[in-house]
Amino acid sequence: MAAELVVMGLGHVGLPLSRAAVSAGLTTAGYDVSDTVVNGLSKGRSHVGGVGDAEVTAMLDAGFHATDDPAVLDGAQTVVICVPTGLTEKGLPDLSAVEHAAEAVAARLRPGTLVVLESTSYPGTTEDVVRPLLERGSGLRAGEDFHLAFSPQRIDPGNTTWTIRNTPKIVSGCTALCAKHAVAFYARFVDHLVVARGTREAEMAKLLENTYRYVNIALVDEVALFCHKTGIDIWDVLHCAASKPFGFAPFSPGPGVGGHCIPVDPRYLAARAESQGFTFRTLAAAQDVLSRMPDHVVDRALTLLTEVRGHPEGARVLLLGVTYKPDVADVRETPARQVAAGLLAAGADVRYHDPYATEFTIDGRPLPRAEHLQDAMAQADVAILLQDHACYAREALGQARCALLDTRGNVVGSRVTLL
Ligand SMILES: NC(=O)c1ccc[n+]([C@@H]2O[C@H](COP(=O)([O-])OP(=O)(O)OC[C@H]3O[C@@H](n4cnc5c(N)ncnc54)[C@H](O)[C@@H]3O)[C@@H](O)[C@H]2O)c1
């Protein structure tokens, strides 16, 4: 029997989306080009943090199945594309996965189908990239024969308060009728839908959301650099400023930004703007500041190592938390990698502790992992708190024997240095 919904790309976005749809009673199938993903899910194994094995098993019991066979697209009422949108080696938008997915849909598209792009991309992707591929490959017309929509994903990995159901979702269509069909689809498992004027507005809104974080993190990072240079306590500055009940949204400085979205999405905006003869000055400035933060952490750590040991060569450094976000297992684009590489280059003996990252490689080589936090802290000359996972209790870290560089401004203690 044909699925009501086929989700293309069963990763951090597609798998939770499939779970939400299955819970709402939609007959759902997942299509992914990765054998590993398909085989794992078919055996009830989740590869995505926040979706447990038991939940995958419950999805399978409810009729969900994962496959790498595009025939699953035959007869689907709705197809949602959740494939990666990364960067090329030159740092430009890489839409190859979106293009391949659109071609696979086009080959099996039937009149009346709703196709939704959820992958983040620059304004114009749905209309100028996906639409022509679907129309050329199928001989059908968007808005006339089938419905085409864009609806960006706002999933926040690790966030149990804001879920797919209760997070407002932006929906847009190539025509008003396309948008109407997309609204009817998402209303089955999302409480509040916000209809954008068109697909470009929805695409731009998603980029604005992530660029807003990017630019504001860069701003507090630069304020932190200035405060360090001039002997001002940045953490007290932030505490004071955050007391303003209106007109100020707090952001925290840190070792840099990571993950699949925040460092990547602004590049989509900047590259698109450049191709249209527009220069985003704030993005260039933010990128410059953010790219300096891991090296700033390395410099601060080397100063501390020199104070503690006289020189960094052979000094034992323990990195605490290498994922890009607290309490998630994702190390994509994490600034911890640049920090580790800088310390290794200075001759330090670097290891890491992170309950979420069972392995962590630098230039293809695994960094030694410490299992026991207390033992590892006892053996280190300097520990660097990079990610404030809930397991890193402030009191225990503050009382540790080794010197601690805290890049998150959380820990108090006689041997603690704040970023
Ligand atoms: N991860 C997040 O928190 C998040 C949040 C909002 C938006 N997004 C956006 O959602 C999109 C997907 O991100 P993700 O984090 O889920 O990526 P991911 O890498 O976790 O998963 C993508 C999946 O798509 C599969 N895939 C690749 N090409 C395919 C193809 N042609 N057909 C079918 N499957 C294919 C991959 O094998 C992989 O399993 C991206 O555009 C991303 O920017 C991600």
Side-chain angles (χ1 to χ4, degrees):
M1 195 179 73
E4 277 178 276
L5 167 65
V6 175
V7 176
M8 300 186 82
L10 295 170
H12 293 78
V13 165
L15 190 59
L17 176 73
S18 303
R19 178 181 57 184
V22 171
S23 303
L26 277 84
T27 53
T28 305
Y31 168 75
D32 200 293
V33 290
S34 160
D35 292 353
T36 318
V37 167
V38 169
N39 291 338
L41 291 173
S42 301
K43 289 178 185 145
R45 280 201 307 267
S46 172
H47 59 292
V48 169
V51 181
D53 291 352
E55 289 177 292
V56 174
T57 304
M59 287 166 67
L60 295 172
D61 290 346
F64 173 80
H65 75 282
T67 178
D68 58 2
D69 182 354
V72 73
L73 292 157
D74 282 331
Q77 288 173 24
T78 301
V79 177
V80 181
I81 300 173
C82 306
V83 299
T85 44
L87 299 171
T88 63
E89 276 182 9
K90 290 184 176 160
L92 296 171
D94 178 2
L95 288 183
S96 54
V98 170
E99 288 163 357
H100 288 140
E103 283 162 0
V105 178
R108 293 165 186 275
L109 194 59
R110 304 246 181 99
T113 309
L114 168 67
V115 181
V116 188
L117 179 67
E118 280 213 6
S119 302
T120 308
S121 188
Y122 56 75
T125 305
T126 309
E127 284 281 356
D128 304 339
V129 179
V130 176
R131 181 178 186 156
L133 288 170
L134 291 176
E135 292 186 341
R136 257 203 314 275
S138 68
L140 302 174
R141 295 277 303 157
E144 293 172 22
D145 306 314
F146 69 96
H147 313 293
L148 177 59
F150 175 77
S151 180
Q153 182 54 252
R154 280 179 168 158
I155 197 159
D156 183 20
N159 191 334
T160 49
T161 306
W162 293 104
T163 61
I164 288 185
R165 177 164 281 286
N166 68 3
T167 305
K169 193 161 184 11
I170 301 171
V171 177
S172 65
C174 288
T175 63
L177 186 62
C178 293
K180 199 172 156 191
H181 279 269
V183 166
F185 164 70
Y186 283 111
R188 293 182 69 178
F189 55 94
V190 179
D191 290 339
H192 186 54
L193 299 169
V194 179
V195 183
R197 181 180 282 252
T199 54
R200 283 183 167 74
E201 284 75 14
E203 289 161 335
M204 188 63 227
K206 173 67 187 177
L207 291 188
L208 173 61
E209 289 168 21
N210 283 357
T211 302
Y212 172 85
R213 276 190 68 70
Y214 187 79
V215 168
N216 278 289
I217 293 168
L219 174 64
V220 289
D221 278 345
E222 193 163 31
V223 172
L225 294 175
F226 174 72
C227 286
H228 174 64
K229 191 174 172 64
T230 52
I232 298 170
D233 182 342
I234 175 64
W235 304 101
D236 195 48
V237 171
L238 290 169
H239 169 71
C240 294
S243 66
K244 188 177 180 191
F246 50 88
F248 182 84
F251 287 83
S252 296
V257 290
H260 201 306
C261 296
I262 302 300
V264 175
D265 298 351
R267 285 297 310 144
Y268 270 66
L269 182 53
R272 182 60 167 174
E274 275 156 29
S275 75
Q276 297 182 328
F278 186 96
T279 304
F280 258 103
R281 293 176 205 289
T282 42
L283 291 187
Q287 186 179 12
D288 178 55
V289 173
L290 290 166
S291 66
R292 282 193 275 143
M293 292 314 289
D295 287 343
H296 177 65
V297 172
V298 171
D299 288 347
R300 298 289 305 278
L302 293 181
T303 304
L304 203 52
L305 283 172
T306 308
E307 280 167 26
V308 172
R309 291 228 341 162
H311 54 81
E313 289 83 15
R316 287 160 305 180
V317 178
L318 177 67
L319 304 182
L320 300 176
V322 295
T323 63
Y324 85 88
K325 243 185 127 164
D327 301 319
V328 299
D330 200 337
V331 295
R332 292 181 294 180
E333 315 287 335
T334 175
R337 201 162 268 124
Q338 201 178 324
V339 172
L343 291 165
L344 288 168
D349 171 5
V350 185
R351 54 198 59 221
Y352 80 99
H353 174 274
D354 194 314
Y356 296 95
T358 47
E359 61 170 36
F360 188 56
T361 55
I362 310 297
D363 296 329
R365 291 207 202 109
L367 198 67
R369 178 171 188 247
E371 288 287 337
H372 299 289
L373 179 60
Q374 308 305 342
D375 294 352
M377 295 276 292
Q379 285 162 15
D381 293 308
V382 168
I384 307 175
L385 179 66
L386 291 176
Q387 194 49 272
D388 45 4
H389 294 318
C391 64
Y392 296 137
R394 294 166 183 216
E395 295 73 26
L397 292 188
Q399 287 160 15
R401 247 179 1 106
C402 68
L404 177 78
L405 174 62
D406 174 11
T407 68
R408 300 291 173 176
N410 279 339
V411 187
V412 179
S414 59
R415 301 206 67 200
V416 177
T417 304
L418 298 182
L419 185 71

